[in-house]
């Protein structure tokens, strides 16, 4: 039987691409591995016994324990309801596209896309596997598998390498293998590692698995990850992340998966972004940039403004000058209480206390240096926040996410119109999320993005930054040859020459 595949000669997205005249780079296209082939690779890496263990405990399978529990158990354990039916199944062609590299390569033109960074399903999950032996074997297997199957299509597609980071050492080892042996040039790190809180381990494994803290590799981390960041710089790769926060505190509805899904990528990305910023990673590694996929860019604009606001109201000098309990004029305060307090305070003036800061000297940091919580980030003025943030963080945004307007609203964003204006956008860029339920038609990606300019949600100039300039900027920041041999090599060289 021959299946009729409806393939328009030229989609609207392809027509728009021709009209725009510049390359469109999609930084987040999802694909699905062909499991039997992946298992062959895993067997080569870890042996038959490990493959059997893998099949019994597939990555992400813990999400589905909800289905095995009774309603009583779900509420007793507060098991968050997972997503379901995550693939675009109505159109067979679109479904096949996400799992066949040759077909995806052929159809990028229909999407109006010149080049795409690919995030395979299992690769996004592998770094979060708890068991070290399994985690490292699966990462090695999927990285080798994807390097092999996408190599013939490298002119338009490049897959990410899955890099585990439970320790900096395991991250460095897999990074070196992925880049130096497999030739991969894009990577994905986990957004965090769930670590047990030591004080609760005495209550047993079941409690320890639930009572955890989130290690985001920067502020207050279990390890010093500077050796890993340095290795990224050395090997010229940009860390990107695609992390989920479903199951965290407020993302834990037992009955409603949409409640758990909304903003969960943004929450996880924001936690990592804050950790990198306040932990001083962007201060110590001025060459290094980071990208956060699928969470949109509105949270990035909000976080940027919020950090500046907190610095202006909570920097060390401001606190010492305006909030230090030691500067209270106690005599004047008592006089005011006496004059206006009447019977409310009569006979109890000696009780004036914590609410007004009287006893907060007892709570002051032993080391005055601890007042400066911006010290690691190297912040001495608000312009430093701008530089540590805008020069380092990029935000993957879907083609129909109109909230991208917040990233490009330079009138509202701090320093948006100052210091050249053009460079002060929040660095949002296209991450279509093709291959998932929310992108039922890959050929609509460019048309969706262009419609935002048509509706004047963003300008034509902003659109170019979104679709082309920001991705070029990100991926050539460490590796100027990132696009060598691809369909966008000429545009990348022109961009680099014009910097």
């Amino acid at each position: 039987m021959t299946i009729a595949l409806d393939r328009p000669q030229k989609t609207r997205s392809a027509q728009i691409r021709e009209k725009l005249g510049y390359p469109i780079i999609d930084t987040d296209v999802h694909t699905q591995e062909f499991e039997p082939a992946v298992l062959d690779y895993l067997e080569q890496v870890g042996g038959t016994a490990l493959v059997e263990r893998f099949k019994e405990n597939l990555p992400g399978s813990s999400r589905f324990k909800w289905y095995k529990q009774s309603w009583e158990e779900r509420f007793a354990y507060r098991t968050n309801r997972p997503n379901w039916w995550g693939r675009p199944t109505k159109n067979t062609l679109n479904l096949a596209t996400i799992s066949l590299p040759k077909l995806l390569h052929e159809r990028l033109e229909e999407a109006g896309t010149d080049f795409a960074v690919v995030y395979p399903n299992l690769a996004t999950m592998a770094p979060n596997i708890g068991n070290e032996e399994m985690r490292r074997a699966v990462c090695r297997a999927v990285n080798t598998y994807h390097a092999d199957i996408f190599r013939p299509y490298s002119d338009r597609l490049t897959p990410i390498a899955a890099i585990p980071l439970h320790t900096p050492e395991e991250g460095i080892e897999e990074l070196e293998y992925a880049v130096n042996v497999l030739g991969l040039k894009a990577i994905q790190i986990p957004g965090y590692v769930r670590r047990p809180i030591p004080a609760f381990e005495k209550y047993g494994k079941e409690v320890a698995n639930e009572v955890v803290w989130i290690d985001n590799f920067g502020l207050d981390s279990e390890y010093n990850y500077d050796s890993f960041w340095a290795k990224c710089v050395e090997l010229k790769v940009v860390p990107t992340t695609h992390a989920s926060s479903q199951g965290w505190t407020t993302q834990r509805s037992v009955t409603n998966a949409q409640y758990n899904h909304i903003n969960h990528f943004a929450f996880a990305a924001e936690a990592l972004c804050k950790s990198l910023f306040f932990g001083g990673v962007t201060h110590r590694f001025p060459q290094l940039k980071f990208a956060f996929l699928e969470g949109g860019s509105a949270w990035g604009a909000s976080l940027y403004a919020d950090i500046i606001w907190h610095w202006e109201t909570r920097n060390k000098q401001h606190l010492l000058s305006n909030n230090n309990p030691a500067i209270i004029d106690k005599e004047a305060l008592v006089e005011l209480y006496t004059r206006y307090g009447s019977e409310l305070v009569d006979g109890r003036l000696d009780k004036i206390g914590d609410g007004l800061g009287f006893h907060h000297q007892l709570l002051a940091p032993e080391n005055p240096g601890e007042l400066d919580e911006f010290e690691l980030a190297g912040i001495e003025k608000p312009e430093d926040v701008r530089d540590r943030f805008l020069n380092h963080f990029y935000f993957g945004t879907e083609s129909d996410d109109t909230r991208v307007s917040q990233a490009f609203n330079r009138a509202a964003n701090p320093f948006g119109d100052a210091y050249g204006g053009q460079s002060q956008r929040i660095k949002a860029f296209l991450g279509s999320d093709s291959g998932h339920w929310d992108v039922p038609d890959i050929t609509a990606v460019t048309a969706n993005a262009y419609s935002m300019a048509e509706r004047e949600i963003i300008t034509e100039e902003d659109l170019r930054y979104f679709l082309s300039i920001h991705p070029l900027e990100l991926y050539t920041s460490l590796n100027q040859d990132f696009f060598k041999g691809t369909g966008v090599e000429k545009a990348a060289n022109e961009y680099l020459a014009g910097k």
Side-chain angles (χ1 to χ4, degrees):
M1 181 179 73
T2 301
I3 300 176
L5 300 177
D6 185 14
R7 305 282 296 278
Q9 286 189 336
K10 186 164 288 188
T11 64
R12 183 165 186 267
S13 285
Q15 293 171 355
I16 291 170
R17 163 63 184 89
E18 287 185 357
K19 172 185 174 181
L20 292 176
Y22 54 77
I24 294 175
I25 300 167
D26 191 341
T27 64
D28 185 18
V29 172
H30 288 280
T31 58
Q32 179 64 53
E33 295 85 353
F34 183 59
E35 187 175 308
V38 173
L39 294 179
D40 291 342
Y41 279 82
L42 184 57
E43 185 170 21
Q44 294 173 24
V45 173
T48 304
L50 189 138
V51 169
E52 293 305 313
R53 285 168 48 206
F54 174 83
K55 290 192 291 187
E56 293 173 3
N57 299 280
L58 291 173
S61 60
S62 60
R63 295 186 301 148
F64 300 109
K65 65 182 179 182
W66 185 91
Y67 292 100
K68 299 177 182 179
Q69 294 175 328
S70 66
W71 277 108
E72 290 76 13
E73 291 173 322
R74 291 166 183 165
F75 277 98
Y77 287 94
R78 300 304 301 185
T79 307
N80 58 291
R81 187 177 187 183
N83 293 328
W84 72 96
W85 293 356
R87 297 301 182 196
T89 57
K90 181 178 180 179
N91 185 302
T92 303
L93 178 60
N94 284 333
L95 183 62
T97 299
I98 69 174
S99 57
L100 299 171
K102 182 178 181 181
L103 181 57
L104 175 61
H105 179 268
E106 183 179 306
R107 298 196 71 211
L108 277 189
E109 186 175 349
E110 296 176 35
T113 304
D114 294 82
F115 188 83
V117 181
V118 177
Y119 283 75
N121 186 60
L122 181 54
T124 62
M125 298 180 181
N128 298 306
I129 296 172
N131 179 271
E132 180 181 356
E133 179 188 18
M134 181 67 73
R135 177 176 65 251
R136 300 185 70 170
V138 173
C139 285
R140 178 63 54 86
V142 297
N143 289 341
T144 308
Y145 168 78
H146 290 121
D148 286 349
I149 69 170
F150 282 102
R151 191 172 289 114
Y153 311 104
S154 60
D155 63 324
R156 303 196 72 174
L157 298 167
T158 193
I160 55 95
I163 306 299
L165 270 186
H166 277 60
T167 67
E169 290 74 24
E170 73 172 21
I172 290 171
E173 183 176 326
E174 190 57 35
L175 182 61
E176 290 180 325
Y177 188 86
V179 175
N180 295 334
V181 179
L182 300 178
L184 295 172
K185 56 186 179 182
I187 69 168
Q188 176 215 259
I189 62 172
Y192 57 88
V193 171
R194 297 170 76 254
R195 301 196 194 276
I197 298 177
F200 291 91
E201 289 181 319
K202 62 185 178 183
Y203 296 108
K205 184 177 180 180
E206 189 172 13
V207 172
N209 284 340
E210 290 294 328
V211 185
V212 299
W213 64 281
I214 303 298
D215 187 341
N216 294 114
F217 316 124
L219 186 67
D220 301 334
S221 179
E222 182 87 358
Y223 300 96
N224 183 341
Y225 280 88
D226 278 4
S227 58
F228 178 78
W229 309 132
K231 184 60 67 172
C232 288
V233 174
E234 176 190 332
L235 297 180
K236 302 179 180 180
V237 290
V238 173
T240 74
T241 188
H242 199 290
S244 166
S245 67
Q246 291 194 60
W248 293 12
T249 54
T250 58
Q251 316 295 115
R252 203 160 180 166
S253 168
V254 177
T255 62
N256 196 306
Q258 308 319 305
Y259 177 93
N260 297 329
H261 187 272
I262 290 173
N263 282 339
H264 80 101
F265 285 120
F267 289 162
E270 184 185 71
L272 173 59
C273 188
K274 287 191 295 185
S275 179
L276 296 172
F277 178 87
F278 282 105
V281 176
T282 60
H283 178 39
R284 295 190 298 278
F285 296 90
Q287 319 97 309
L288 196 57
K289 301 180 187 298
F290 297 84
F292 310 92
L293 280 304
E294 205 167 332
S297 50
W299 71 265
S302 175
L303 178 59
Y304 170 53
D306 218 355
I307 292 176
I308 286 183
W309 180 83
H310 275 81
W311 187 87
E312 289 175 340
T313 57
R314 298 293 296 178
N315 69 75
K316 180 179 178 180
Q317 189 55 51
H318 182 90
L319 289 172
L320 288 172
S321 300
N322 295 278
N323 301 91
N324 184 2
I327 66 175
I328 294 175
D329 186 335
K330 296 181 181 179
E331 291 184 2
L333 188 64
V334 169
E335 181 180 344
L336 288 168
Y337 262 64
T338 302
R339 185 182 304 175
Y340 295 101
S342 304
E343 65 276 4
L344 180 67
V345 300
D346 189 31
R348 294 189 292 181
L349 289 174
D350 60 328
K351 302 297 184 183
I352 298 175
D354 289 350
L356 300 178
F358 259 43
H359 304 304
H360 276 50
Q361 292 96 327
L362 300 175
L363 305 177
E366 294 181 8
N367 177 5
E370 293 177 3
L371 289 171
D372 188 358
E373 294 186 322
F374 293 83
E375 182 178 17
L376 287 177
I379 306 302
E380 297 180 356
K381 55 187 181 298
E383 289 83 357
D384 293 333
V385 177
R386 177 200 66 201
D387 296 341
R388 305 279 186 272
F389 194 96
L390 293 187
N391 293 339
H392 292 270
F393 299 136
Y394 291 71
F395 306 91
T397 305
E398 293 165 351
S399 65
D400 58 352
D401 186 351
T402 57
R403 294 170 297 175
V404 72
S405 62
Q406 297 176 43
F408 294 140
N409 187 347
R410 292 183 294 286
N413 291 326
F415 300 108
D417 292 321
Y419 302 93
Q422 299 298 336
S423 63
Q424 301 309 309
R425 294 172 174 85
I426 305 296
K427 296 184 186 297
F429 63 116
L430 174 64
S432 72
D433 199 32
S434 292
H436 283 172
W437 55 270
D438 53 328
V439 188
D441 182 5
I442 187 176
T443 69
V445 169
T446 296
N448 285 340
Y450 186 69
S451 74
M452 291 194 287
E454 290 179 311
R455 291 178 284 165
E456 298 183 348
I457 293 170
I458 60 177
T459 68
E460 290 268 3
E461 184 186 40
D462 290 335
L463 182 70
R464 184 167 187 170
Y465 275 84
F466 181 63
L467 296 176
S468 194
I469 295 177
H470 282 161
L472 287 170
E473 182 179 271
L474 173 70
Y475 283 108
T476 62
S477 62
L478 288 176
N479 180 8
Q480 294 195 351
D481 292 328
F482 185 92
F483 293 104
K484 186 176 181 178
T486 74
V488 298
E489 179 178 0
K490 180 181 177 182
N493 290 338
E494 291 173 351
Y495 162 76
L496 291 168
K499 286 179 64 176

